[in-house]
Amino acid sequence: MVTPTLHVFSISHYCEKARWALDYLGHDYVLSRLAPGSHIKKAKSLGLKRGAMPFLELPDGVIQGSADIVSWAETHGAGEAQLTSPENREACLEIEQRLDDVAGIHVRRFFYSEAIVDHPSTVLPIFRRGLPWLEQLKLSLGWKVVCRLMIKGMDLGPTQRQESRDKVEGELDWLDGLLADGRQYLVGDRLTRADLAAASLLSPLALPDEHPEYQHIVVPPLAQADMDRWAERPSIRFAKNLYKNARHANV
Ligand SMILES: N[C@@H](CCC(=O)N[C@@H](CS)C(=O)NCC(=O)O)C(=O)O
């Protein structure tokens, strides 16, 4: 049997969600870190219309998008572990979808609106992490262009930073509200994909020690000040705890 390949950007929290699900459910897979630009070529070579990462290359096709990869990981699980039950699946998917559509997008825009716009050289090392040396070289030479495309593609800037910061705060309020009754997991009494989604998509704010890629990430000063303010919020503590208890890094 051919081992699946998970194609990722090292920095991407959506990629981390898919990777965590594969790890948690005991899948054997090859991790392929790609550089921005090369990811589009790879996606096209696999017959995908868009480059959006992550995608999982299988012997008989390709699955794009973290939620669909988590679903594949669930139905093809190697062991006993599960990330939903028939009873809670709908509730988990609803929470995950909201996290994907709001927190995921605005955490990223909040971070990049400062990091890529004002401190682009600090972001290059994490994108270069684990790439073959020739890819590292090409990425370093093309970094200015990549940053320009990211600024345009994700609509980054100081006003946008503030807008996304407000959205992030709103989503932290929502999660804090869910956690206010002292529950250990977002849905039911066992870890589910809703928890994985929350923890991975908040990981750029929580920076858990167990994150497989963020050990040397550089946080720009405005983001750091917000993250210091948010550090004791239940949602951020929840993300950190989940990493500590359920993320066994596969670096
Ligand atoms: N909802 C999607 C979001 C995927 C996404 O936005 N991926 C970004 C990286 S964080 C990407 O690959 N952007 C580059 C592109 O689309 O070409 C998922 O959960 O996988």
Side-chain angles (χ1 to χ4, degrees), residues 22-85:
L22 291 171
D23 288 341
Y24 186 78
L25 296 173
H27 287 277
D28 196 14
Y29 67 97
V30 174
L31 183 71
S32 146
R33 295 185 182 91
L34 296 176
S38 300
H39 77 292
I40 296 183
K41 268 193 227 149
K42 186 69 200 179
K44 279 196 180 145
S45 77
L46 294 173
L48 295 170
K49 290 200 180 71
R50 297 175 315 116
M53 306 267 267
F55 38 89
L56 184 69
E57 186 180 347
L58 298 164
D60 54 353
V62 55
I63 299 174
Q64 186 167 40
S66 61
D68 286 348
I69 295 171
V70 178
S71 295
W72 180 89
E74 284 192 298
T75 46
H76 296 77
E80 298 282 291
Q82 292 293 325
L83 281 172
T84 49
S85 67

Side-chain angles (χ1 to χ4, degrees), residues 127-147:
F127 268 103
R128 285 202 330 202
R129 191 180 141 89
L131 296 179
W133 73 267
L134 191 57
E135 286 294 298
Q136 291 201 29
L137 180 67
K138 281 199 285 187
L139 182 60
S140 302
L141 295 174
W143 186 238
K144 271 192 182 163
V145 178
V146 171
C147 289

Side-chain angles (χ1 to χ4, degrees), residues 9 12-14 17 39-40 51-54 65-67 100 108:
F9 288 143
S12 164
H13 52 353
Y14 291 110
K17 163 149 69 93
H39 77 292
I40 296 183
M53 306 267 267
S66 61
D100 283 356
R108 181 175 67 189

Side-chain angles (χ1 to χ4, degrees), residues 112-223:
Y112 283 155
S113 278
E114 186 185 5
I116 291 284
V117 174
D118 299 329
H119 311 275
S121 64
T122 64
V123 188
L124 178 59
I126 187 159
F127 268 103
R128 285 202 330 202
R129 191 180 141 89
L131 296 179
W133 73 267
L134 191 57
E135 286 294 298
Q136 291 201 29
L137 180 67
K138 281 199 285 187
L139 182 60
S140 302
L141 295 174
W143 186 238
K144 271 192 182 163
V145 178
V146 171
C147 289
R148 261 205 305 277
L149 292 171
M150 286 173 82
I151 290 170
K152 191 160 180 264
M154 285 181 273
D155 183 27
L156 309 178
T159 317
Q160 296 89 327
R161 175 187 180 279
Q162 191 56 46
E163 195 181 279
S164 287
R165 185 192 178 284
D166 293 345
K167 288 269 189 195
V168 169
E169 280 213 309
E171 295 308 286
L172 295 181
D173 289 343
W174 164 60
L175 285 170
D176 287 356
L178 293 181
L179 296 166
D181 56 11
R183 67 181 78 178
Q184 196 182 348
Y185 300 108
L186 288 173
V187 180
D189 55 8
R190 290 178 57 184
L191 180 98
T192 69
R193 55 189 293 167
D195 302 310
L196 251 59
S200 54
L201 297 177
L202 295 182
S203 66
L205 307 178
L207 299 183
D209 292 341
E210 299 77 11
H211 194 290
E213 304 284 341
Y214 287 174
Q215 302 320 313
H216 303 290
I217 198 164
V218 176
V219 179
L222 296 175

